[in-house]
Amino acid sequence: VTYSRMNTLKIIGRIVSIHCSEVSRIASDELEQPVGVADRLALWGHLIGCRSCRRFRSQIGEIREQIRLVPSDYEVESRLPDAARARLRLAIISVADQARPNSCDSGQ
Amino acid sequence: MVGCHGGFAAVQRVADDCSPASQQKVPDCDPTSWLDDHGDALYTFAIRRVGSTEVAEDLVQEALLSALRSLNAYQGASSVRTWLISILRNRIVDYFRLQGRRGSIDGTLDTYAPFKRNGSWRRPVGRLPGPHTRLERVEFLELLNRCLGSLSTPLAQVFRMRELDQLEGTEIADLLCISPETLRVRLHRARIYLRDCLQKHGLGGEPTK
């Protein structure tokens, strides 16, 4: 009984003393791997009283979600600039000329 | 005739594609058409990972040239695009490694202090209006990319690999030769910075509270 009371006190103490900087670290870690019980309790306890940390935690999760929703739509958006295209074409042609004996053209 | 796909088995497998009759229609066999067929895809792939347009151009060039030189290694088992992308990916990893070795931990974040000395937020965390439409999503990603551009390289790099590339943490730590702990610290700092940047330059340009 004393042991569990000690534990409860410790947990409450941690909730009271934990800083936003550490809470935000735990919130970020949550996106990477399961977080330990002590950290989780301290996090939840702190979140009850801290709107900034609540927002931070939900927003970094949302950012991840949003990124995962975009890419398939977004994949075609970037166009190789014309100058770069021209430069690359030259580079390819000069190297392709050397490689020509092995390319498909040899069959034509 | 030696096909552009190398080895005998591979030539057989792609015989339909590469037979002289169909060569005209199959641009894959002609390296000079790679640029038209796959240039934008490669560039997009690179830019989403490295952020800088210049670096992306260089990497695409390196990848295309190295693909040309190893044309015989292409087995025809995958599409040309997949093959080119895999070469590009290797180039990007090399680039990351080099950056990781060079990269000092970080101009931006040393001067960027999101917390007060007592560990509380320097400025309250505000709302982020989430993107809802397709257009807003694209704007969101563009804004995120701009924010990533203003973040120091080691931090932006791990964020890109983790969130845009969706690599596993262990994989990233291995690739960059950093400890899982270092990776978590960098991700944490990157997330703080990026969230803040997204709020400051929020969608629709309206300052949010």
Side-chain angles (χ1 to χ4, degrees):
Chain A
V1 178
T2 5
Y3 176 75
S4 76
R5 186 172 298 162
M6 281 279 288
N7 255 353
T8 314
L9 280 177
K10 249 175 146 175
I11 289 166
I12 293 173
R14 180 116 196 276
I15 292 172
V16 173
S17 66
I18 196 169
H19 299 307
C20 300
S21 56
E22 207 191 339
V23 169
S24 73
R25 176 192 61 77
I26 299 171
S28 174
D29 283 356
E30 271 186 325
L31 295 179
E32 301 308 311
Q33 59 186 36
V35 163
V37 183
D39 274 353
R40 226 179 316 151
L41 286 172
L43 173 81
W44 287 346
H46 178 92
L47 290 183
I48 293 170
C50 181
R51 187 165 68 174
S52 282
C53 285
R54 277 203 304 278
R55 283 182 172 165
F56 178 79
R57 178 166 177 259
S58 75
Q59 286 172 8
I60 58 173
E62 262 168 50
I63 291 172
R64 165 172 289 185
E65 293 300 309
Q66 288 303 337
I67 290 172
R68 293 186 178 187
L69 287 175
V70 188
S72 54
D73 269 337
Y74 191 68
E75 199 64 61
V76 286
E77 298 293 325
S78 298
R79 237 187 78 79
L80 194 60
D82 290 337
R85 194 179 292 270
R87 183 162 54 82
L88 281 173
R89 196 179 301 282
L90 276 178
I92 288 174
I93 289 171
S94 69
V95 175
D97 274 345
Q98 296 158 19
R100 193 158 296 271
N102 279 337
S103 78
C104 283
D105 294 345
S106 56
Q108 282 180 336
Chain B
M1 168 191 140
V2 182
C4 66
H5 302 285
F8 180 68
V11 171
Q12 291 246 300
R13 217 176 310 136
V14 294
D16 289 345
D17 290 345
C18 269
S19 62
S22 65
Q23 255 181 36
Q24 300 289 18
K25 311 184 291 219
V26 181
D28 283 352
C29 291
D30 175 11
T32 48
S33 70
W34 287 350
L35 203 53
D36 296 321
D37 296 338
H38 312 296
D40 290 341
L42 292 171
Y43 181 63
T44 303
F45 185 90
I47 215 167
R48 273 185 49 206
R49 282 153 185 86
V50 300
S52 144
T53 54
E54 283 163 47
V55 175
E57 285 171 19
D58 286 348
L59 288 171
V60 169
Q61 170 160 352
E62 279 178 31
L64 284 173
L65 295 185
S66 106
L68 266 179
R69 292 196 192 93
S70 58
L71 209 53
N72 291 330
Y74 174 56
Q75 291 299 307
S78 54
S79 75
V80 167
R81 177 170 297 191
T82 311
W83 178 62
L84 291 174
I85 293 259
S86 73
I87 293 173
L88 177 60
R89 180 181 286 126
N90 288 337
R91 292 286 149 172
I92 292 173
V93 167
D94 286 347
Y95 167 78
F96 280 156
R97 283 219 184 95
L98 206 66
Q99 287 288 307
R101 238 177 277 144
R102 268 191 220 145
S104 59
I105 289 286
D106 128 69
T108 327
L109 256 275
D110 287 339
T111 49
Y112 176 76
F115 299 105
K116 293 183 205 158
R117 198 172 295 169
N118 69 9
S120 62
W121 295 96
R122 191 168 293 281
R123 291 185 303 115
V125 175
R127 285 220 200 94
L128 278 189
H132 299 296
T133 62
R134 181 184 183 278
L135 181 66
E136 280 177 353
R137 289 228 164 81
V138 171
E139 277 176 10
F140 166 80
L141 206 66
E142 275 164 5
L143 175 58
L144 184 73
N145 270 321
R146 283 208 298 282
C147 288
L148 276 165
S150 64
L151 182 59
S152 77
T153 314
L155 300 186
Q157 175 190 7
V158 293
F159 186 87
R160 284 206 175 87
M161 293 173 97
R162 184 71 187 100
E163 304 291 6
L164 297 178
D165 239 357
Q166 292 165 30
L167 295 178
E168 288 303 320
T170 46
E171 215 175 329
I172 300 171
D174 281 352
L175 280 173
L176 299 177
C177 301
I178 57 178
S179 71
E181 179 56 27
T182 304
L183 174 66
R184 285 201 298 276
V185 170
R186 288 189 192 177
L187 282 172
H188 175 216
R189 297 165 83 187
R191 284 178 178 132
I192 291 176
Y193 178 85
L194 291 170
R195 197 220 64 83
D196 201 37
C197 180
L198 288 172
Q199 184 188 328
K200 270 187 204 144
H201 306 95
L203 290 181
E206 52 182 353
T208 48
K209 225 191 146 194

